[in-house]
Every structure is written in C-alpha cells, then in structure tokens.
Amino acid sequence: MEKGKVVLAFSGGLDTSICIPLLREHYGFEEIITVAVDVGQPPEEIARATEKGRMLADKHYTIDAKEKFVSDCIFPSIRANGSYEGYPMGTALARPLIATEIVKIAEKEGASKVAHGCTGKGNDQLRFDFVFRAAGYDIIAPMREMNLTREWEIAYARDHGIPVSAAKDKPYSIDENCWSRSIEGGRLEDPAFHPPEDIYAWTVSPKDAPDAREEISIEFEEGVPVALNGDRLAGLDLIRELNRIAGRNGVGRNDMIEDRILGLKAREIYEHPAATVLLTAHSDLEHLVLTRSEIAFKRIVDDKWSELAYMGLVHEPLFHALTAFIDKTQERLNGTVDVGLYKGSATVLGRRSDAALYSSDLVSFDSTTLDQTHAVGFSNYFGLQARLLKNLKKQ
C-alpha cells in the first residue's frame, strides 16, 4: 500500500473520477491532489471538473493553459502541417502540455507519485508516461493496472455516489480541446456501425449545411494565422471563430480506422473545423512561397514531426531538430489565402504573398521575357540516362 501524496491528472470524466476512491482504497494514498488543465474544453466541463475535484479530492488545482496550448502546441503544428494518417492531431498535442503542468504541481506539493486515468489500450498513457518519467516520477495508472472495463467503472462510480455522464446505453468517450474533438467507445467500436448524428457537436451534417458557398480569407505571418477576413485576432479567438464558421458549413469531420502506437487499430471519429481549414490554407501557401526542394524535403520532415508529436515524444532530440528546420522554412511564409467552404469541403480559391516564388510574366504564354529557344538544349539532356538504357535494351 502506498503512502503520502499523489497528484492526479483530472478531467472530471468517468475514468479520472473513480481514480480518486481507487487511489485511496486500493493504493492507500493519504492525500490525493487533482489537477484539471484547461486547454479549451467547454467552460461547463472545466467547471464540473473543478467542482468534482474539490468535492472528491483533498486538494484541487485548475490551470488555465489555453493560450499556452495555442502558442506552444497548435501554432507549431500548423507550421509542420501536423496530421497523422490524414487527420489533424488534437488530443496528441495537448497531452504533453497537460502532463507538464501536472509535474509542476507535483513538484510544488512535494508529491511522491503522479497518476492518470488512461487505459492500457490507448495512446494517452504513453504520452503522459513519457513526460512523467522524464521528470523522474513513478506513475500510478489504476485503469490499466487493475484491467478495468467501462461497465465496471460505471457501476463502481454509482456505488460510490460519483456523478458521471457515461451510461451503458451511451458510453462514448469524448475528449475536447479548442483544436479538436474526438469521440470513441460504445457502439462506435464497431467499424461497420454508422455513427448517429447526435455524437457531433461542432459540425452540422454536410447535407444540412447552407446551399451557398461561404468565402473566407486567412492571413499568415511566419506560418502562423494572424487574421480572419481582414480582422487581426489573437490565436485562440481566431481558432474559435473559425471553428464556428467552418463548423456551420459541415467542414472538419473524420471517421477513420487509426493505427495506435501499440499497434491496435481503432475506429476514431473527430471534429476539427478550424484545423481542417488552417492546415489546408497553410499547405497551399507553402507551395506559393517555398522552393520545390524545400517543399519536397519538408514533406518528409512534417511526416516525421507529426509521428513524433502523435506519440507524445516532445523531448526526443530529433523532434527539436525537425522543429528547428520547420521554423527556418517559415521565416518568409507570409501571405493570405482565400478559402471556400461548402457542404463539408474547404477549397482554396486564391492566394497571394509578397514572398511568392511565382512570376505571372515568366509563366505567361504571351510573354517573351524568357526565350523559349533556350529550352532546346535543356531538353536534349533531359532524361538522357533513361534514353540510353532504353536504347541498350533494343540492341
């Protein structure tokens, strides 16, 4: 049986709520401190976590990390065109930041251990564990250590008088921050099951979206969005407003089979309207501003950066090295991208930048600035080795 203090990463949901009595009854901790980290969850969710933490734990902290999440996690991800297997990462970006805030409280409180409510089948356990172990802490994870099921947890919560929103007939697990909303669990675990419309909160069904296309413009400075429709906005405000605009047009849904870090395939459903639009616009602007060689190599870098970010390996030296390269490419990525939103799609309509590597004069069929006859010599050598090989095969 453990003694002393333990600091628990606390969301107020089913898993973390039952962790509190479990840490007392099964692990014997004398003092349990809960920490809720606000990375853009609904205000009522943070209020509920604060209330439950104060009610159930010996001490509770609620930390506002929304602005830090945007500046330190979301903006770097935009610059890296951050996506994993085709969807914009959200939960993966937030977990290391949350874990870092937990460590700060553990150090402040002199806690002997840290804890989380992650299961042994998902990714979050690894993202938390990596940061906790890097800080020198041992980890308590009741869900995986006790091999608990969702049904057992719901019954345990009811037996201990803990109010939870999950129920046997609708046991969805929802994780939300200002960048992304994920829905999993229950009948959604069947890949063939058609998800009901009521699981979505940020996006309307594309078929119910307006019949007219809505056009918006996004301005970037050094790869970071700074203005929406000509209005300069703080990062968090811009993301929230774009979530609203794109969401009402049905933009930003993913229903996919995802490969988790452990090797399990899982059915995951996401909503990320602002992320979909911003990543689409950012990538397009890169094609206007960066060289072909930069774009080709950055695609490799972005993929590896995203993989490491997905795993939560934010202290991996390679992650820092890749970030340094990405930051260098973004120094001149300034410009504006116009996007059309229509029934679930986000389509680039136009783009402009003072740093564009595009010349309408040089590319025009009506211009003689470039002498076309100069291309003859280049063409004579183009594909030379392939032609030589083909001729050898004819002999």
Side-chain angles (χ1 to χ4, degrees), residues 97-135:
L97 174 60
I98 294 171
T100 299
E101 296 300 323
I102 302 301
V103 167
K104 290 179 182 178
I105 297 301
E107 292 172 345
K108 175 181 176 180
E109 291 287 342
S112 59
K113 301 284 176 65
V114 292
H116 59 67
C118 303
T119 72
K121 295 184 179 181
N123 298 318
D124 284 343
Q125 58 175 329
L126 304 174
R127 297 162 181 157
F128 277 113
D129 290 357
F130 177 70
V131 175
F132 290 159
R133 288 200 170 95

Coordinates of all heavy atoms in Angstrom, one line a residue, residues 97-135:
L97 N 1.5 18.8 -22.8 CA 1.4 20.1 -22.1 C 0.7 19.8 -20.8 O 1.1 20.3 -19.7 CB 0.6 21.1 -23.0 CG 0.2 22.4 -22.3 CD1 1.5 23.1 -21.8 CD2 -0.6 23.2 -23.2
I98 N -0.4 19.0 -20.8 CA -1.1 18.7 -19.6 C -0.2 18.0 -18.6 O -0.2 18.3 -17.4 CB -2.4 17.9 -19.9 CG1 -3.4 18.7 -20.7 CG2 -3.0 17.3 -18.6 CD1 -4.5 17.8 -21.2
A99 N 0.6 17.0 -19.1 CA 1.5 16.3 -18.2 C 2.5 17.2 -17.6 O 2.9 17.1 -16.4 CB 2.2 15.2 -19.0
T100 N 3.0 18.2 -18.4 CA 4.0 19.1 -17.9 C 3.4 20.0 -16.7 O 4.1 20.2 -15.7 CB 4.5 20.0 -19.0 OG1 5.1 19.2 -20.0 CG2 5.5 21.1 -18.5
E101 N 2.2 20.4 -16.9 CA 1.5 21.1 -15.8 C 1.3 20.3 -14.5 O 1.4 20.8 -13.4 CB 0.2 21.7 -16.3 CG 0.3 22.7 -17.4 CD 1.1 23.9 -17.0 OE1 1.0 24.4 -15.9 OE2 1.8 24.4 -17.9
I102 N 1.0 19.0 -14.7 CA 0.9 18.1 -13.6 C 2.2 18.0 -12.8 O 2.2 18.0 -11.6 CB 0.5 16.7 -14.1 CG1 -0.9 16.7 -14.9 CG2 0.4 15.7 -12.9 CD1 -2.0 17.3 -14.1
V103 N 3.3 17.9 -13.6 CA 4.6 17.8 -13.0 C 4.9 19.0 -12.1 O 5.5 18.9 -11.0 CB 5.7 17.6 -14.0 CG1 7.1 17.8 -13.5 CG2 5.6 16.2 -14.6
K104 N 4.5 20.2 -12.6 CA 4.8 21.4 -11.9 C 4.1 21.4 -10.5 O 4.6 21.8 -9.5 CB 4.3 22.6 -12.7 CG 5.2 22.9 -13.9 CD 4.6 24.1 -14.7 CE 5.4 24.4 -15.9 NZ 4.8 25.5 -16.7
I105 N 2.8 20.9 -10.5 CA 2.1 20.8 -9.2 C 2.7 19.8 -8.3 O 2.8 20.0 -7.1 CB 0.6 20.5 -9.5 CG1 0.0 21.7 -10.3 CG2 -0.2 20.3 -8.2 CD1 0.0 23.0 -9.7
A106 N 3.1 18.6 -8.9 CA 3.7 17.6 -8.1 C 5.0 18.1 -7.4 O 5.2 17.8 -6.2 CB 4.0 16.4 -8.9
E107 N 5.8 18.9 -8.1 CA 7.0 19.5 -7.5 C 6.6 20.5 -6.5 O 7.2 20.5 -5.4 CB 7.8 20.1 -8.6 CG 8.4 19.1 -9.6 CD 9.1 19.8 -10.8 OE1 8.8 21.0 -11.0 OE2 9.8 19.1 -11.5
K108 N 5.6 21.3 -6.7 CA 5.2 22.3 -5.8 C 4.7 21.7 -4.5 O 4.9 22.1 -3.4 CB 4.1 23.2 -6.4 CG 3.5 24.2 -5.5 CD 2.4 25.0 -6.2 CE 1.7 25.9 -5.2 NZ 0.6 26.7 -5.9
E109 N 3.9 20.6 -4.6 CA 3.3 19.9 -3.5 C 4.2 18.9 -2.8 O 3.8 18.3 -1.7 CB 2.0 19.2 -3.9 CG 0.9 20.2 -4.3 CD 0.3 20.9 -3.1 OE1 0.4 20.4 -1.9 OE2 -0.4 22.0 -3.3
G110 N 5.3 18.6 -3.4 CA 6.2 17.5 -2.8 C 5.5 16.2 -2.9 O 5.7 15.3 -2.0
A111 N 4.8 15.9 -4.0 CA 4.1 14.6 -4.1 C 5.1 13.5 -4.4 O 6.1 13.7 -5.1 CB 3.1 14.6 -5.2
S112 N 4.8 12.3 -3.9 CA 5.7 11.2 -4.2 C 5.5 10.5 -5.5 O 6.3 9.8 -6.1 CB 5.6 10.1 -3.0 OG 4.3 9.7 -2.9
K113 N 4.2 10.6 -6.0 CA 3.8 9.9 -7.2 C 2.9 10.8 -8.0 O 2.3 11.7 -7.5 CB 3.1 8.6 -6.9 CG 3.9 7.6 -6.1 CD 5.0 6.9 -6.9 CE 5.8 5.9 -6.1 NZ 5.1 4.8 -5.5
V114 N 2.8 10.5 -9.3 CA 1.8 11.1 -10.2 C 0.9 10.0 -10.7 O 1.3 8.8 -10.8 CB 2.4 11.9 -11.3 CG1 3.1 13.1 -10.7 CG2 3.3 11.1 -12.1
A115 N -0.4 10.4 -11.1 CA -1.3 9.4 -11.6 C -2.1 9.9 -12.7 O -2.3 11.1 -12.9 CB -2.2 8.9 -10.5
H116 N -2.7 9.0 -13.6 CA -3.6 9.4 -14.6 C -4.6 8.3 -14.8 O -4.5 7.2 -14.2 CB -2.8 9.6 -15.9 CG -2.0 8.4 -16.5 ND1 -2.6 7.3 -16.9 CD2 -0.7 8.3 -16.7 CE1 -1.7 6.4 -17.3 NE2 -0.5 7.0 -17.2
G117 N -5.7 8.6 -15.5 CA -6.8 7.6 -15.7 C -6.8 6.9 -17.0 O -7.9 6.5 -17.5
C118 N -5.6 6.9 -17.7 CA -5.6 6.3 -19.0 C -5.7 4.7 -19.0 O -5.2 4.1 -18.0 CB -4.3 6.6 -19.7 SG -4.0 8.4 -19.9
T119 N -6.2 4.2 -20.0 CA -6.3 2.7 -20.1 C -5.0 2.2 -20.6 O -4.1 2.9 -21.1 CB -7.5 2.3 -21.0 OG1 -7.1 2.6 -22.4 CG2 -8.7 3.0 -20.7
G120 N -4.9 0.9 -20.6 CA -3.7 0.3 -21.2 C -3.8 -0.1 -22.7 O -2.9 -0.7 -23.2
K121 N -4.8 0.4 -23.3 CA -5.0 0.1 -24.7 C -4.8 1.3 -25.6 O -4.8 1.2 -26.9 CB -6.4 -0.5 -25.0 CG -6.6 -1.8 -24.3 CD -8.0 -2.4 -24.6 CE -8.1 -3.8 -24.0 NZ -9.5 -4.4 -24.3
G122 N -4.8 2.5 -25.0 CA -4.7 3.7 -25.8 C -3.4 4.4 -25.9 O -2.4 3.9 -25.4
N123 N -3.4 5.5 -26.6 CA -2.1 6.3 -26.8 C -1.8 7.2 -25.6 O -0.6 7.5 -25.3 CB -2.2 7.2 -28.0 CG -2.4 6.3 -29.3 OD1 -1.8 5.3 -29.5 ND2 -3.3 6.8 -30.1
D124 N -2.8 7.7 -24.9 CA -2.6 8.8 -23.9 C -1.7 8.3 -22.8 O -0.9 9.1 -22.2 CB -3.9 9.3 -23.3 CG -4.6 10.2 -24.3 OD1 -3.9 10.7 -25.2 OD2 -5.8 10.4 -24.1
Q125 N -1.7 7.0 -22.4 CA -0.9 6.5 -21.3 C 0.6 6.8 -21.6 O 1.4 7.2 -20.8 CB -1.1 5.0 -21.1 CG -0.9 4.2 -22.4 CD -1.0 2.7 -22.2 OE1 -0.7 2.2 -21.1 NE2 -1.4 2.0 -23.2
L126 N 1.0 6.6 -22.9 CA 2.4 6.7 -23.3 C 2.8 8.2 -23.3 O 3.9 8.5 -23.0 CB 2.6 6.1 -24.6 CG 2.2 4.6 -24.7 CD1 2.3 4.1 -26.1 CD2 3.1 3.8 -23.8
R127 N 1.8 9.0 -23.8 CA 2.1 10.5 -23.8 C 2.3 11.0 -22.4 O 3.2 11.9 -22.2 CB 1.0 11.2 -24.5 CG 0.8 10.8 -26.0 CD -0.5 11.2 -26.6 NE -0.7 10.7 -27.9 CZ -1.9 10.5 -28.5 NH1 -3.0 10.8 -27.8 NH2 -1.9 10.2 -29.8
F128 N 1.5 10.6 -21.5 CA 1.7 11.1 -20.1 C 2.9 10.4 -19.5 O 3.7 11.1 -18.9 CB 0.4 10.7 -19.3 CG -0.7 11.6 -19.3 CD1 -1.9 11.2 -20.0 CD2 -0.6 12.9 -18.8 CE1 -3.0 12.1 -20.0 CE2 -1.7 13.8 -18.9 CZ -2.9 13.4 -19.5
D129 N 3.1 9.2 -19.7 CA 4.2 8.4 -19.0 C 5.5 9.0 -19.5 O 6.4 9.1 -18.6 CB 4.1 6.9 -19.4 CG 3.0 6.2 -18.7 OD1 2.2 6.9 -17.9 OD2 2.8 5.0 -19.0
F130 N 5.7 9.3 -20.7 CA 6.9 9.9 -21.2 C 7.3 11.1 -20.5 O 8.5 11.3 -20.1 CB 6.8 10.1 -22.7 CG 8.0 10.7 -23.3 CD1 9.2 10.0 -23.5 CD2 8.0 12.0 -23.8 CE1 10.3 10.6 -24.1 CE2 9.2 12.6 -24.3 CZ 10.3 11.9 -24.5
V131 N 6.4 12.0 -20.3 CA 6.7 13.3 -19.7 C 6.9 13.1 -18.2 O 7.9 13.6 -17.6 CB 5.6 14.3 -19.9 CG1 5.8 15.6 -19.1 CG2 5.5 14.7 -21.4
F132 N 6.1 12.2 -17.6 CA 6.2 12.0 -16.1 C 7.6 11.3 -15.8 O 8.3 11.7 -14.9 CB 5.1 11.1 -15.6 CG 3.7 11.7 -15.6 CD1 2.6 11.0 -15.6 CD2 3.6 13.1 -15.5 CE1 1.3 11.6 -15.6 CE2 2.4 13.7 -15.5 CZ 1.2 13.0 -15.5
R133 N 7.9 10.3 -16.6 CA 9.2 9.6 -16.3 C 10.4 10.5 -16.6 O 11.4 10.4 -15.9 CB 9.3 8.3 -17.2 CG 8.3 7.2 -16.7 CD 8.7 5.8 -17.1 NE 7.9 4.8 -16.5 CZ 6.8 4.3 -17.0 NH1 6.4 4.7 -18.1 NH2 6.2 3.4 -16.3
A134 N 10.3 11.3 -17.6 CA 11.4 12.3 -17.9 C 11.6 13.2 -16.7 O 12.7 13.7 -16.5 CB 11.1 13.1 -19.2
A135 N 10.6 13.5 -16.0 CA 10.7 14.4 -14.8 C 11.1 13.6 -13.5 O 11.2 14.2 -12.5 CB 9.3 15.1 -14.5

